[in-house]
Amino acid sequence: MIKNFVLFFTIAALALAVGTADADVDSAALSEAFKWLENESHRLIRASRRTMKDGTAAFPPQVGIGYEAFWLRDYVYTLEGSLDSYSDKELLDAGRLFIKGMRADGAGVDCVKFDGQPIYKPGFGTLGANPVADGSQFTVAVIWHTYQKTKNLKFLKENIDALIRTMHSVPRNPKTKLVHIKDDDWDRCPYGFTDTVRMQGDVLFCSLLYVEAGRRLSELLDVVGRKEEANNWKSEAEAVTESIREVFWDSKVCLFRAATIRCKEHHIWGSAFAVYLGVADKSQSMAIARYFKDNYSQIVQNGQIRHLPGGIYWEMCVAGRDTYQNGAYWATPTGWFVYTLDLVDSGIADRTVIDMVSDFKNGGVCEWILGEKRRLPNYLASASLPLA
């Protein structure tokens, strides 16, 4: 993503090497876009602050009234790009809140209401029969990010066993090791940014999150001196990585599929995230990058990204076509997309970032857009996550 200094300075070096006026302008425009986004992300985070019943500072997904709870994954996405926007106390209090919200069996929350009530299923508990399939992975992410800034070893030691418990609660296919949603009526929702999609079988995005969480848990266990457990979780993440490469990859289309039983559509977000995490191997990463370049006009609008290839919709989705998670364009994954596209065309990658920020300046930082439609302005993840 665009805070990656290696990527940024590579782009700057390329611009200098080309030596054209246009390249210099693009380099300056990219730098300006980055700075604007950094400031806007910080502004939105601070403007979203609400106080919960117990005094904990909550940061819901949107500034103002709209999302009336403290959502776990959206909070994590602000930490990914704007960790320094929070005080140590705010980070520690939020970390404790989400650990406390874990169910007795280890399941992580979808969100926590401002009165402290934990909610495990999207739609304030109405979607699916069981807890959302990404809560545990994002719980690990909260504690990992909190430790990165605070370096509070006492806090980490107090919560490390809860992280192990929550990871063991993730539903998985014992044969493939992948995160799994049963093929019954509606077992549970997948990744929260596709929570209206009725996936079944092994699921790509939650499995990618499991790899990321496993790596992070390994790091944290290493910090507290539990070396053997750290190695075990590292190995587990590697095993899931190999399975993702084999199970979801479609070599004909050159994208990863979203699931194995229902809603098997090719997943743009998931394919980009797989490259960003280093889960996609080198040949897969290059193939995905070329697909993004060749199909750019069908999957990008104003620097924002569709979930699926152009003209494709989910097999089964609560949201209707050409709205929300079923055809609209989102800024949330733009950083992963740009990181991938840069492998084959840094110029288009740069332009994507500049286009996104220009759209934000003109119409506000929205949750999603489609044509002239703009929904939920002042949406935190849209500004924060691409920064990472």
Side-chain angles (χ1 to χ4, degrees), residues 48-363:
S48 76
R49 190 183 190 278
R50 306 277 289 275
T51 302
M52 300 181 69
K53 186 177 180 180
D54 66 356
T56 298
F59 298 86
Q62 180 191 19
V63 177
I65 296 174
Y67 279 92
E68 292 300 294
F70 195 179
W71 261 266
L72 171 61
R73 74 187 62 80
D74 293 80
Y75 173 61
V76 168
Y77 280 171
T78 66
L79 302 183
E80 293 280 357
S82 296
L83 185 60
D84 288 340
S85 292
Y86 297 94
S87 70
D88 284 6
K89 184 179 188 306
E90 288 169 340
L91 292 168
L92 293 167
D93 287 350
R96 293 186 181 104
L97 175 79
F98 288 118
I99 290 289
K100 181 181 177 182
M102 284 169 46
R103 213 167 64 168
D105 63 359
V109 303
D110 180 63
C111 65
V112 179
K113 290 185 176 181
F114 294 143
D115 65 4
Q117 179 187 356
I119 304 295
Y120 301 100
K121 299 178 288 184
F124 281 118
T126 63
L127 302 182
N130 292 297
V132 67
D134 66 1
S136 296
Q137 299 93 308
F138 280 116
T139 302
V140 173
V142 164
I143 305 305
W144 184 84
H145 282 292
T146 298
Y147 181 75
Q148 302 313 301
K149 185 171 189 291
T150 68
K151 300 300 180 184
N152 189 317
L153 190 59
K154 181 175 182 291
F155 169 83
L156 178 56
K157 288 180 176 178
E158 289 172 351
N159 293 296
I160 193 73
D161 287 320
L163 300 186
I164 294 171
R165 189 167 75 255
T166 199
M167 285 290 279
H168 282 310
S169 77
V170 178
R172 297 168 69 199
N173 181 336
K175 294 181 179 179
T176 63
K177 296 183 176 290
L178 298 166
V179 179
H180 187 82
I181 295 177
K182 294 178 182 177
D183 54 339
D184 57 16
D185 181 41
W186 198 352
D187 175 31
R188 68 184 75 228
C189 291
Y191 170 54
F193 281 79
T194 55
D195 57 14
T196 62
V197 183
R198 300 279 296 272
M199 294 183 193
Q200 290 180 351
D202 294 346
V203 288
L204 170 64
F205 211 99
C206 292
S207 297
L208 291 169
L209 291 171
Y210 195 88
V211 170
E212 182 180 53
R215 293 171 178 172
R216 288 172 167 175
L217 180 54
S218 175
E219 287 182 31
L220 296 177
L221 284 164
D222 195 55
V223 168
V224 300
R226 293 161 63 168
K227 306 291 185 183
E228 184 176 352
E229 290 173 276
N231 290 335
N232 289 342
W233 280 102
K234 183 178 180 181
S235 297
E236 189 69 10
E238 291 172 352
V240 177
T241 293
E242 290 300 322
S243 196
I244 289 171
R245 291 171 178 169
E246 295 174 5
V247 172
F248 297 109
W249 181 246
D250 184 339
S251 59
K252 294 181 180 178
V253 176
C254 295
L255 291 173
F256 289 103
R257 291 187 178 275
T260 58
I261 296 178
R262 189 169 68 194
C263 297
K264 298 188 292 184
E265 287 75 24
H266 298 98
H267 201 193
I268 301 297
W269 290 32
S271 296
F273 190 46
V275 176
Y276 178 68
L277 286 182
V279 169
D281 64 28
K282 185 176 180 179
S283 64
Q284 290 170 339
S285 296
M286 293 303 295
I288 293 167
R290 286 190 290 268
Y291 180 94
F292 287 175
K293 180 179 180 179
D294 293 344
N295 296 275
Y296 187 89
S297 64
Q298 299 178 38
I299 55 180
V300 182
Q301 179 187 318
N302 297 340
Q304 290 153 82
I305 317 300
R306 213 173 181 271
H307 284 80
L308 302 172
I312 303 298
Y313 300 90
W314 293 109
E315 176 186 354
M316 185 175 289
C317 185
V318 175
R321 291 189 172 193
D322 291 323
T323 184
Y324 197 46
Q325 298 167 355
N326 199 17
Y329 297 81
W330 298 59
T332 304
T334 294
W336 307 324
F337 181 86
V338 166
Y339 180 92
T340 303
L341 184 58
D342 185 72
L343 295 174
V344 295
D345 196 320
S346 61
I348 299 178
D350 296 353
R351 178 52 56 187
T352 304
V353 175
I354 294 167
D355 288 349
M356 178 188 71
V357 172
S358 178
D359 185 71
F360 288 171
K361 289 179 179 179
N362 292 329

